[in-house]
């Protein structure tokens, strides 16, 4: 059942002559079938088609944004008509206020909203704002959480819990990394210990409330509430990075699902409907410090771009006008995960399957996965067999178990059925390779 990826292989070779690793974002470069990732020619609904003509059921969804599926007719029509009115003005539009209102309606913690162009920009700006507001320098992140690629957050844990961060990339100054402290996710004792020592020096805790960038991990019962309580006690701002989980685990994101009110929120992905958008927002008194109403500088030539706002508005319109949207999406995601779980159980393959709303993930691991350290003990060889066998059968998953999967509203029961047939074959292949 080998795929023909000859054209993709040639395209990848040429791309590598022109771009580092042949890609514009590292996760896109992987040795799929025949040592190349498929190069995509088009997408529609639940399917993407590569340049060799192979069609796949897509559970990557551009890494999260495509919650309505690809080339949704209403989003496409809105974009076509917006296009004719010009693509960028660098001046205020009605669209920006409209999208800000919709976002605030879904995420009430965002009393004021600033649009930017990516999730990275949102978290970078939120941190600057938090540091300015609290007049403190240090920030706390969690090992295995990803918030974009700027210096302060491209940091991993040093040795032991609650140590100074160390750069996670060459080029990140040690002095910057040292202002970023890292903690293990789901570990309240480690957070308490850190705050006792340094609580008065910490501006903000930034967290993926439902992490999706170490694979999908769930917060334990009461964990986020305790994080909220401790940060408030020490005057530390709590930033929920819901760039991925926003509009995914629930309409109002993880904060709605778990009933927690953060001080600042970062969004991206779904709110751009497949165009480049990020946003940050939060308490009125904090957001009022942003220029031009306050002294904290942050700007963007293309921020609030009319095409991007249009795609976001059309997408959120479809989501928010339909009371059945989340129940249906969640039920489909559950059915998929249960089916994959059954396929694993039938073949004796140990997995940890996680799902909330339309986000899901699985680890090839016999033990619970609750943080980065436990995620890292997962079986990489088993994942490789799983991934390749699924791809060969026309199911497009993220090429790493340390990434989440995404369901869209357009995935049909037949898509899920076909995926589960493929999963049975793939789990058998994993079981066979485990025995060797
Ligand atoms: C994707 C992601 C980001 C970064 O967003 P970009 O648009 O890729 O810059 C930040 N935080 C989280 C949680 C993400 O999943």
């Amino acid at each position: 059942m080998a795929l023909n990826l000859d054209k993709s292989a040639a395209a990848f070779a040429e791309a590598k002559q022109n771009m580092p690793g042949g890609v514009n974002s590292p996760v896109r470069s992987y040795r799929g079938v025949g040592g190349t990732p498929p190069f995509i020619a088009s997408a529609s609904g639940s399917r993407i088609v590569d340049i060799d003509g192979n069609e796949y059921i897509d559970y990557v969804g551009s890494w999260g944004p495509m919650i309505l599926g690809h080339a949704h007719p209403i989003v496409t029509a809105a974009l076509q008509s917006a296009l004719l009115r010009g693509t960028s003005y660098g001046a205020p539009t009605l669209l920006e206020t409209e999208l800000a209102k919709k976002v605030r309606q879904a995420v009430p913690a965002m009393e004021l909203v600033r649009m930017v162009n990516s999730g990275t920009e949102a978290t970078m700006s939120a941190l600057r704002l938090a540091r300015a507001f609290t007049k403190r320098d240090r920030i706390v992140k969690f090992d295995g959480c990803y918030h974009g690629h700027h210096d302060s957050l491209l940091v991993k844990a040093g040795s032991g819990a609650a140590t100074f961060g160390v750069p996670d990339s060459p080029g990140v100054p040690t002095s910057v990394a040292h202002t970023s402290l890292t903690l293990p996710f789901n570990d309240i004792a480690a957070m308490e210990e850190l705050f006792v020592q340094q609580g008065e020096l910490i501006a903000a805790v930034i967290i993926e409330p439902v992490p999706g960038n170490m694979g999908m991990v769930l917060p334990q019962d009461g964990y986020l509430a305790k994080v909220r309580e401790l940060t408030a006690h020490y005057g530390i701002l709590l930033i929920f990075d819901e760039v991925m989980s926003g509009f995914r685990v629930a309409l109002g994101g993880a904060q709605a699902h778990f009933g927690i009110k953060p001080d600042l929120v970062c969004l991206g992905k779904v709110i751009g409907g497949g165009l480049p958008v990020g946003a940050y927002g939060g308490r009125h008194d904090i957001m009022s410090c942003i220029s031009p109403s306050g002294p904290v500088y942050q700007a963007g030539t293309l921020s609030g771009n009319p095409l991007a706002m249009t795609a976001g508005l059309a997408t959120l319109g479809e989501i928010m006008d339909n009371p059945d949207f989340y129940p249906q999406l969640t039920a489909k995601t559950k059915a998929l995960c249960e089916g994959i779980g059954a396929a694993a159980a039938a073949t004796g393959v140990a997995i940890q399957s996680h799902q909330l709303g339309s986000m899901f993930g699985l680890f090839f691991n016999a033990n619970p996965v609750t943080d980065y350290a436990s995620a890292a003990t997962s079986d990489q060889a088993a994942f490789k067999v799983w991934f390749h066998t699924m791809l060969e059968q026309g199911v497009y998953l993220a090429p790493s178990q340390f990434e989440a999967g995404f369901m869209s509203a357009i995935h049909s029961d037949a898509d899920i059925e076909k995926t589960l047939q493929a999963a049975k074959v793939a789990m058998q292949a994993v079981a066979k390779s485990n025995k060797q």
Side-chain angles (χ1 to χ4, degrees):
M1 231 190 287
L3 288 174
N4 179 351
L5 286 172
D6 291 350
K7 285 184 183 161
S8 281
F12 195 34
E14 193 183 5
K16 283 195 255 189
Q17 305 285 319
N18 292 284
M19 296 176 282
V23 292
N24 282 309
S25 194
V27 74
R28 299 176 199 169
S29 172
Y30 58 90
R31 302 176 65 77
V33 174
T36 181
F39 272 52
I40 305 307
S42 68
S44 177
S46 62
R47 307 297 174 110
I48 54 174
V49 178
D50 71 22
I51 60 174
D52 288 283
N54 304 299
E55 186 179 278
Y56 310 87
I57 304 174
D58 179 22
Y59 293 101
V60 176
S62 188
W63 303 93
M66 310 314 300
I67 197 165
L68 300 180
H70 295 283
H72 188 280
I74 289 180
V75 179
T76 306
L79 279 171
Q80 276 170 337
S81 90
L83 193 53
L84 300 177
R85 293 191 294 272
T87 54
S88 184
Y89 323 123
T93 61
L94 298 172
L95 296 166
E96 294 162 84
T97 307
E98 253 187 89
L99 186 58
K101 280 165 76 177
K102 269 213 154 41
V103 167
R104 290 186 53 216
Q105 187 189 334
V107 187
M110 299 176 89
E111 293 167 11
L112 288 173
V113 183
R114 170 61 63 87
M115 297 292 171
V116 291
N117 304 287
S118 68
T120 296
E121 252 189 274
T123 61
M124 180 178 76
S125 310
L127 283 189
R128 177 179 304 145
L129 174 59
R131 285 171 159 147
F133 185 81
T134 58
K135 304 189 173 63
R136 300 172 179 180
D137 280 346
R138 295 189 187 169
I139 56 136
V140 173
K141 78 175 285 284
F142 295 83
D143 211 11
C145 284
Y146 177 72
H147 306 287
H149 62 82
H150 54 94
D151 287 356
S152 290
L153 292 172
L154 215 52
V155 165
K156 64 185 174 195
S159 55
T163 55
F164 285 129
V166 298
D168 203 14
S169 162
V172 173
T174 309
S175 57
V176 173
H178 272 189
T179 63
S180 303
L181 310 162
T182 65
L183 285 172
F185 191 78
N186 270 330
D187 187 341
I188 277 296
M191 176 174 273
E192 277 174 333
E193 191 189 321
L194 175 68
F195 287 4
V196 167
Q197 294 162 6
Q198 314 192 30
E200 269 82 41
L201 303 173
I202 297 168
V205 166
I206 185 165
I207 189 167
E208 287 183 79
V210 176
N213 286 293
M214 51 176 127
M216 184 179 171
V217 170
L218 291 164
Q220 285 164 350
D221 278 353
Y223 175 67
L224 294 172
K226 196 75 192 164
V227 169
R228 175 65 283 188
E229 186 190 315
L230 281 174
T231 47
H233 179 77
Y234 284 91
I236 297 167
L237 299 186
L238 178 58
I239 306 174
F240 268 16
D241 178 356
E242 300 228 47
V243 170
M244 183 184 291
S245 58
F247 296 91
R248 272 286 169 193
V249 304
L251 173 61
Q255 55 199 280
H257 181 83
F258 293 104
I260 310 284
K261 190 167 180 226
D263 300 300
L264 292 171
V265 180
C266 299
L267 295 175
K269 298 190 171 125
V270 169
I271 61 161
L275 271 81
V277 181
Y280 64 104
R283 269 167 47 192
H284 201 286
D285 58 332
I286 304 173
M287 286 303 291
S288 299
C289 298
I290 292 288
S291 184
S293 51
V296 179
Y297 196 69
Q298 186 270 308
T301 300
L302 291 169
S303 294
N305 172 268
L307 289 183
M309 297 297 100
T310 296
L313 272 171
T315 299
L316 296 196
E318 286 302 290
I319 292 173
M320 293 169 73
D321 295 347
N322 175 2
D324 294 332
F325 188 86
Y326 283 96
Q328 283 173 357
L329 192 59
T330 300
K332 282 195 286 194
T333 318
K334 253 194 192 135
L336 178 74
C337 291
E338 280 167 11
I340 292 173
T347 49
V349 174
I351 64 164
Q352 303 297 319
S353 171
H354 296 160
Q355 173 263 331
L356 193 60
S358 58
M359 252 173 93
F360 65 93
L362 82 164
F363 295 99
F364 289 90
N365 202 317
N367 302 306
V369 173
T370 57
D371 59 10
Y372 182 70
S374 48
T377 64
S378 302
D379 184 345
Q380 304 263 28
F383 179 82
K384 244 187 178 156
V385 173
W386 159 256
F387 170 75
H388 279 111
T389 314
M390 292 301 275
L391 189 68
E392 280 172 6
Q393 297 177 95
V395 180
Y396 190 82
L397 300 167
S400 158
Q401 68 190 315
F402 307 113
E403 303 285 353
F406 303 99
M407 182 68 73
S408 88
I410 204 86
H411 281 75
S412 65
D413 291 345
D415 287 331
I416 292 167
E417 187 48 41
K418 186 166 179 235
T419 305
L420 292 179
Q421 288 303 329
K424 282 181 194 163
V425 174
M427 285 297 177
Q428 277 160 8
V430 173
K432 201 171 140 204
S433 75
N434 279 349
K435 283 199 198 86
Q436 282 167 357

